[in-house]
Amino acid sequence: MAPRLELNLSELLTFEPDGGLIHFAGQRVLLLDPVALGLLRKELIGTVGVTAARGILTRLGFAHGWRTAETMKNAFPWEDESQWRRAGGRLHTLQGQVVLEPVERRAEDGPAPFAEALWHHSYEAEQHLLHLGKAEEPVCWALTGFASGYMSYCNGKPVYCIETRCVGKGDPVCQIMGKPEEEWSQECREALRFYETQCMEGALAQVTDALKQAERKLRVKRQTLARVSGVPEDPAGMVARTEAMKQVLSLGRRAAKVDSTVLITGESGVGKERVARLIHEESGRAHKAFVAVNCAAVTESLLESELFGHARGAFTGATHDRPGLFEAAHGGTLFLDEVGEVPASMQAKLLRALQEKEVRRVGENQSRKVDVRVVAATNRNLAAEVVSGRFRQDLYYRLRVIELRVPPLRERRDDILPLARMLLAEATERLGRRVSGMSPEAADQLLRYGWPGNVRELGNAIERAVALSEGNRLERDDLPEEVRAAPPSLVPGDSPRTLEAMEREYILAVLARNGGNRARTAEQLDIGVATLYRKLKQYGEPEVPN
């Protein structure tokens, strides 16, 4: 009998003359347009990223190769098993995926690897270049997966292929090398990990590990920024000098130890989400997801689907089943920001989900159990909203098992400069500027301003100042106009001043804000111009600052 390495397409391919069923080696196969597969690759990369897409296609190819080897083992009366095991490359070519050329090695080239081949006309490299352009890494993921799956089945142990050259990254030819798992060096483990995940649970485990590594890097970065800024590092990466803020963090850490629902209140920009993350990170759920949603940013018609998910066909555009954020946060924490904006029609459904610990997707009749710790936040006075009938009382009390009020920045004046220094260190690193500090005048002006936008506004002001600074430190003139124009606070700080000193400072600040216009200043101070001139003379008629 002729060696079966001479397999040809007429032996393997059969089809019905009228179409419908096509068989390859006795198994049903499909004809697929390579451009469609290229578009699928592009969609996968756009949806889940290059790393996840590479893993999916590699494992898809592995399953294809394994299945092909399993089928071919009994498809023909092979003369010996070596013929069947070596037929994979020929089958790869007959299926139209790639044209294989064995690599001929000379004795002086050293020992040959377990498997090695050149690939010509790779459909994967062709489609990647067509839809995504030249890559930095090899792109024949499904093809290497196929070769690995085929050889792994034939040899009864894991044999993995790695592409050493690839047309998709600009090489003149694609080249693969295959070895048993134990023969690959440690340097190749990064490429081999794409074979390791055989199911979605494994992929999620990889994502979890990646997140943990990112969190560790973030902690190191925060510690570095703390050293640069001179601000001692809090374990949560937060700045708290005032007693009120220290109490918030202390209560948040105690709340983290239990699973009770927490309501965080405070003005916009005070850092409510950061406190929510602190509660999650110091809880027993820290190894699971922290999922945040801004309830005010989602339209009423979509909020239910966003939170609870929907079934295919539940509404126009629902082309597939989709889990909601409650299910996505299973085992972890769901942060409902701006919960005061939840419409009345949704409040009863949200209450039921909290009480029953289950959700029902839009368009489904069955309920699904969820294990989620809910932390909510709002800048509204929910107690007043309850009295006015705009917020359900039972939902309010269900959310407010533990309440944390984050004070506004104007009530945390001792935190302003430490926060500013931390934000300055972050901004200089992010923008690549060499700004090492701030002048006393700039620091004083930061303390004068009321910060209605709180920490978020302070961060924006510092970033603007860093971007516009011409020196190695922030000056008063680098600050936003409204911050520069802020008069001194009339509320005594830690070092009370005399009324005369406060009056002098305030009058001069208003005069400076008016550009030295004394008539306008007197009008705003509700005093006569002569009185203003007399006071300025008492002050030695100082030069009006620009």
Side-chain angles (χ1 to χ4, degrees):
M1 183 178 294
R4 286 297 175 177
L5 281 179
E6 299 302 322
L7 291 172
N8 58 67
L9 203 56
S10 63
E11 289 182 294
L12 297 173
L13 188 65
T14 61
F15 56 90
E16 298 293 334
D18 296 330
L21 294 176
I22 304 174
H23 291 83
F24 186 89
Q27 296 295 322
R28 183 178 180 181
V29 295
L30 306 174
L31 292 178
L32 292 176
D33 179 9
V35 174
L37 294 177
L39 291 171
L40 174 62
R41 166 184 292 250
K42 181 180 180 182
E43 185 72 18
L44 276 174
I45 291 174
T47 303
V48 300
V50 173
T51 300
R54 180 177 179 181
I56 291 170
L57 293 176
T58 300
R59 294 188 292 275
L60 174 65
F62 189 95
H64 185 199
W66 183 284
R67 172 65 174 159
T68 300
E70 190 176 36
T71 300
M72 292 300 296
K73 181 177 183 180
N74 300 313
F76 296 96
W78 301 97
E79 292 182 347
D80 58 69
E81 285 202 355
S82 66
Q83 297 291 314
W84 155 62
R85 291 176 179 174
R86 294 164 55 196
R90 176 64 177 160
L91 293 170
H92 224 167
T93 299
L94 292 176
Q95 289 175 352
Q97 301 186 63
V98 69
V99 176
L100 180 140
E101 176 189 343
V103 172
E104 300 294 337
R105 279 183 171 264
R106 297 171 299 179
E108 57 268 27
D109 293 334
F114 187 86
E116 187 176 19
L118 299 179
W119 282 345
H120 304 281
H121 308 297
S122 161
Y123 86 92
E124 278 198 284
E126 169 193 278
Q127 292 302 314
H128 195 100
L129 289 171
L130 176 63
H131 297 288
L132 298 158
K134 190 167 74 171
E136 296 181 357
E137 300 289 338
V139 300
C140 297
W141 307 326
L143 293 175
T144 52
F146 179 96
S148 302
Y150 193 97
M151 287 192 287
S152 294
Y153 181 85
C154 292
N155 291 278
K157 63 179 181 180
V159 177
Y160 295 134
C161 293
I162 290 178
E163 201 174 8
T164 56
R165 291 192 291 170
C166 183
V167 172
K169 70 181 187 72
D171 294 324
V173 68
C174 298
Q175 182 171 3
I176 65 152
M177 185 178 295
K179 296 180 183 180
E181 181 181 23
E182 64 275 9
E183 294 184 15
W184 282 111
S185 64
Q186 192 62 36
E187 289 75 14
C188 298
R189 293 296 167 183
E190 183 69 17
L192 296 185
R193 69 190 178 93
F194 294 102
Y195 292 100
E196 295 171 358
T197 305
Q198 302 299 327
C199 58
M200 184 55 70
E201 287 77 7
L204 292 175
Q206 286 185 345
V207 172
T208 300
D209 291 341
L211 288 174
K212 289 179 179 178
Q213 292 178 13
E215 289 170 356
R216 286 194 290 269
K217 291 179 181 178
L218 183 59
R219 282 195 293 270
V220 172
K221 180 180 178 181
R222 283 202 296 251
Q223 292 167 358
T224 302
L225 288 173
R227 289 193 297 270
V228 172
S229 64
V231 180
E233 167 73 2
D234 178 86
M238 301 182 71
V239 173
R241 298 291 180 276
T242 57
E243 193 60 35
M245 196 60 194
K246 289 179 180 178
Q247 289 179 4
V248 169
L249 299 187
S250 174
L251 185 56
R253 289 190 166 98
R254 281 182 281 162
K257 307 307 177 186
V258 296
D259 263 355
S260 301
T261 307
V262 178
L263 178 64
I264 306 174
T265 61
E267 297 177 5
S268 293
V270 293
K272 298 188 289 295
E273 181 171 346
R274 190 65 197 87
V275 175
R277 288 186 180 274
L278 163 68
I279 294 171
H280 171 73
E281 290 165 1
E282 303 213 1
S283 73
R285 297 174 176 268
H287 64 292
K288 294 291 186 178
F290 177 89
V291 178
V293 58
N294 187 332
C295 299
V298 184
T299 62
E300 180 177 351
S301 60
L302 293 178
L303 185 59
E304 182 177 4
S305 171
E306 189 74 12
L307 292 178
F308 304 140
H310 62 254
R312 178 182 178 184
F315 50 83
T316 303
T319 57
H320 58 277
D321 292 348
R322 178 180 179 274
L325 296 181
F326 267 90
E327 291 180 68
H330 183 76
T333 302
L334 177 62
F335 176 54
L336 302 175
D337 198 9
E338 303 300 348
V339 73
E341 308 297 329
V342 173
S345 60
M346 269 295 299
Q347 291 177 20
K349 297 175 182 178
L350 179 57
L351 175 63
R352 182 182 181 281
L354 294 175
Q355 289 178 333
E356 305 298 329
K357 297 186 181 300
E358 62 182 29
V359 296
R360 182 175 298 173
R361 294 182 182 178
V362 178
E364 281 190 349
N365 294 324
Q366 66 178 27
S367 296
R368 301 167 185 266
K369 287 290 183 181
V370 288
D371 174 23
V372 175
R373 199 270 182 82
V374 172
V375 178
T378 182
N379 58 12
R380 288 176 177 254
N381 183 340
L382 286 190
E385 296 289 299
V386 169
V387 172
S388 66
R390 288 189 292 269
F391 201 84
R392 291 180 64 105
Q393 186 180 51
D394 47 5
L395 177 58
Y396 171 59
Y397 288 123
R398 190 68 185 81
L399 292 171
R400 187 179 166 263
V401 177
I402 301 174
E403 182 176 1
L404 300 178
R405 177 187 174 272
V406 183
L409 200 52
R410 61 181 173 275
E411 296 178 11
R412 303 168 48 191
R413 306 206 71 81
D414 288 346
D415 289 341
I416 291 177
L417 291 184
L419 271 170
R421 294 188 185 101
M422 179 72 78
L423 294 167
L424 173 62
E426 291 178 351
T428 53
E429 182 184 30
R430 185 170 59 253
L431 300 178
R433 302 299 306 277
R434 295 182 178 274
V435 181
S436 57
M438 62 184 76
S439 69
E441 294 78 13
D444 181 62
Q445 206 62 32
L446 293 178
L447 292 172
R448 292 169 181 253
Y449 187 58
W451 301 110
N454 295 294
V455 180
R456 183 182 297 121
E457 185 184 9
L458 175 61
N460 292 339
I462 294 297
E463 182 170 345
R464 174 195 186 275
V466 170
L468 299 180
S469 175
E470 295 180 340
N472 59 2
R473 70 174 186 174
L474 297 188
E475 301 293 343
R476 180 181 180 277
D477 289 343
D478 297 325
L479 299 172
E481 181 180 356
E482 63 273 15
V483 180
R484 296 197 307 270
S489 171
L490 296 181
V491 180
D494 294 334
S495 302
R497 295 167 289 164
T498 64
L499 287 175
E500 181 179 359
M502 292 177 65
E503 178 188 82
R504 177 183 184 277
E505 188 175 357
Y506 190 76
I507 289 175
L508 292 178
V510 176
L511 183 65
R513 186 172 63 181
N514 288 322
N517 189 317
R518 301 186 181 195
R520 188 185 307 135
T521 299
E523 180 182 359
Q524 291 180 352
L525 294 172
D526 198 21
I527 60 176
V529 176
T531 302
L532 176 61
Y533 272 84
R534 177 172 53 80
K535 289 184 176 294
L536 292 176
K537 186 175 181 179
Q538 292 175 359
Y539 305 152
E541 296 189 15
E543 181 181 350
V544 179
N546 294 327

